[in-house]
């Protein structure tokens, strides 16, 4: 067999592996949807008010912010990195947005855009330190998580933004509806759709998968790995900034502690939704479904008056199960591909 034939055969094997992996994780996304429907059904049987329209709208609103930030986190995780600073970025930008609207009479659109830009700037810091500083993303973003939270505490100086000081038109973004559908949910839907189309149809989006699968091979293929990784962190920060603005609109009351713990919820949503923590596999749609599932679990446990400890334990158990599933699937796929290669040889 010639060298060209070997290269073609390896390319075909890689394509088959990719298709097999995608098929497995599509099945996993379907399983998550089934689990979500089952959870809703069981909770509705125990507490019929859970499926009332107002209750479902609140569930959609609460999951929307997580879904938006999870969309950005997905891009980072696909490159085999992680961003632990998104909760702090959300808190910083949420107060920044409230301050602009309450104390400086800034137009709503301008305030939201500035929040997105502030989040993107935080993403630049994370991306540059990770790629050009050659420091693991886990270490970098753990540090910036505390740095950004510290900046938020200094900036707020003990102040708090209250709903009565914010414009009604801004609060309506978080609490209002369009044709009966929560406005914030529609925004999240558009964001997830755009990110999903970008990852699936644009070369730079597909390159994130290649980087996460094998960054060394991606470099040999001519992919500008450092640039793509920085761009992923910038996008993640920008969406966290958007999430901060929407958080202010959703809850109205904002202080320096806003968004505490969101980073783990966002990562859990992405991983539970099928985004492999080892990179290169997953979709933003699965991450969004994971956000809805986690929100539904929290809401159902509250409705059923179950202690908050078990809410956190349920999320933790789901995260462990998802990571274990990823590992099991990875091992099974590797074994299957090795057997195929051996038979062809």
């Amino acid at each position: 067999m010639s060298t060209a034939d070997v290269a073609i055969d390896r390319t075909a094997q890689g394509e088959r592996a990719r298709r097999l992996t995608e098929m497995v994780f599509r099945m996993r996304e379907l399983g998550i949807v089934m689990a979500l429907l089952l959870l809703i059904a069981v909770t509705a049987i125990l507490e019929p008010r859970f499926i009332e329209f107002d209750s479902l709208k609140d569930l959609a609103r609460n999951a929307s912010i997580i879904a938006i930030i999870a969309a950005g986190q997905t891009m980072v995780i696909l490159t085999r990195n992680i961003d632990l600073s998104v909760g702090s970025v959300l808190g910083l930008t949420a107060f920044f947005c409230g301050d602009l609207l309450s104390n400086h009479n800034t137009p709503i659109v301008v305030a939201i855009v500035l929040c997105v830009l502030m989040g993107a700037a935080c993403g630049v810091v994370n991306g540059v330190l990770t790629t050009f500083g050659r420091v693991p993303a886990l270490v970098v973003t753990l540090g910036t998580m505390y740095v950004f939270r510290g900046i938020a505490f200094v900036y707020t100086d003990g102040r708090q933004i209250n709903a009565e000081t914010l414009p009604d038109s801004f609060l309506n973004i978080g609490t209002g509806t369009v044709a009966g559908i929560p406005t914030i949910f529609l925004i999240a839907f558009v964001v997830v759709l755009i990110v999903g189309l970008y990852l699936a149809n644009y070369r730079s989006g597909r390159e994130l998968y290649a980087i996460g699968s094998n960054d060394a091979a991606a470099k040999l293929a001519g992919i500008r790995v450092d640039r793509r990784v920085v761009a992923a962190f910038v996008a993640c920060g920008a969406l966290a900034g958007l999430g901060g603005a929407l958080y202010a609109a959703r809850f109205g009351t904002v202080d320096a502690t806003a968004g505490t713990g969101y980073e783990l919820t966002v990562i859990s949503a992405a991983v539970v939704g099928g985004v492999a923590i080892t990179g290169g596999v997953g979709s933003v749609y699965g991450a969004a479904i994971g956000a809805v599932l986690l929100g539904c679990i929290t809401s159902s446990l509250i409705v059923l008056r179950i202690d908050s400890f078990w809410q956190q334990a349920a999320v933790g158990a789901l995260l462990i199960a998802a990571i274990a599933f990823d590992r099991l699937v990875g091992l099974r796929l590797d074994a299957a591909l090795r057997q195929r290669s051996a038979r062809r040889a």
Side-chain angles (χ1 to χ4, degrees):
M1 184 180 290
S2 66
T3 303
D5 290 336
V6 171
I8 293 172
D9 185 60
R10 286 180 178 175
T11 301
Q13 289 181 16
E15 181 64 19
R16 285 194 296 271
R18 184 185 66 80
R19 289 179 180 176
L20 181 59
T21 304
E22 289 184 352
M23 181 186 69
V24 170
F25 278 88
R26 284 197 189 100
M27 292 173 61
R28 176 173 170 181
E29 290 173 5
L30 179 60
I32 296 170
V33 173
M34 296 302 293
L36 175 61
L37 295 176
L38 179 62
L39 177 63
I40 293 174
V42 171
T43 307
I45 292 172
L46 297 175
E47 179 53 75
R49 290 179 299 174
F50 183 72
I51 56 173
E52 290 180 355
F53 190 57
D54 288 341
S55 178
L56 293 177
K57 285 195 296 185
D58 284 338
L59 173 62
R61 290 189 181 103
N62 293 334
S64 294
I65 296 175
I66 299 297
I68 288 172
I69 306 176
Q73 188 74 248
T74 296
M75 300 175 70
V76 172
I77 295 177
L78 286 175
T79 64
R80 203 178 293 183
N81 289 291
I82 200 165
D83 189 348
L84 294 175
S85 69
V86 290
S88 298
V89 174
L90 181 147
L92 178 61
T93 55
F95 190 89
F96 179 60
C97 185
D99 188 39
L100 289 175
L101 295 172
S102 298
N103 302 319
H104 302 283
N105 297 319
T106 306
I108 294 174
V109 174
V110 174
I112 294 175
V113 170
L114 289 176
C115 286
V116 172
L117 293 176
M118 175 179 283
C122 294
V124 170
V125 173
N126 289 330
V128 169
L129 290 176
T130 298
T131 56
F132 299 104
R134 304 303 173 190
V135 181
L138 181 66
V139 176
V140 168
T141 58
L142 181 63
T144 55
M145 176 180 73
Y146 289 108
V147 170
F148 297 151
R149 183 66 67 183
I151 292 173
F153 272 99
V154 172
Y155 176 37
T156 59
D157 193 25
R159 295 177 295 157
Q160 178 177 285
I161 300 296
N162 297 310
E164 57 266 21
T165 65
L166 296 172
D168 291 338
S169 54
F170 175 70
L171 294 174
N172 284 337
I173 296 175
T175 59
T177 60
V178 176
I181 302 174
T183 305
I184 195 171
F185 177 81
L186 293 175
I187 294 172
F189 178 83
V190 171
V191 169
V192 170
L193 182 62
I194 290 173
V195 175
L197 291 174
Y198 166 73
L199 291 175
N201 300 313
Y202 286 84
R203 178 179 176 181
S204 55
R206 299 302 298 175
E207 287 176 349
L208 297 181
Y209 287 91
I211 293 169
S213 298
N214 191 324
D215 60 343
K219 289 179 180 178
L220 291 175
I223 297 175
R224 297 178 177 177
V225 172
D226 290 346
R227 180 178 295 185
R228 293 287 178 260
V229 171
V230 171
F233 274 105
V234 171
C236 183
L239 290 178
L242 175 61
L246 295 178
Y247 181 98
R250 172 75 181 97
F251 297 105
T253 301
V254 182
D255 58 21
T257 64
T260 301
Y262 264 54
E263 55 279 339
L264 297 182
T265 304
V266 167
I267 294 169
S268 298
V271 174
V272 168
V275 183
I277 199 70
T278 52
V281 175
S283 76
V284 68
Y285 305 118
I289 297 171
V292 176
L293 177 60
L294 293 184
C296 189
I297 290 173
T298 301
S299 297
S300 63
L301 293 179
I302 291 174
V303 167
L304 298 176
R305 297 178 179 86
I306 295 176
D307 190 86
S308 60
F309 164 78
W310 294 108
Q311 299 172 25
Q312 299 176 13
V315 173
L318 263 181
L319 181 59
I320 293 172
I323 293 174
F325 178 84
D326 289 345
R327 181 59 178 164
L328 178 62
V329 169
L331 293 174
R332 291 290 181 88
L333 288 176
D334 287 343
L337 291 172
R338 281 197 298 268
Q339 288 177 2
R340 282 188 182 184
S341 300
R343 285 197 298 267
R344 288 180 173 273

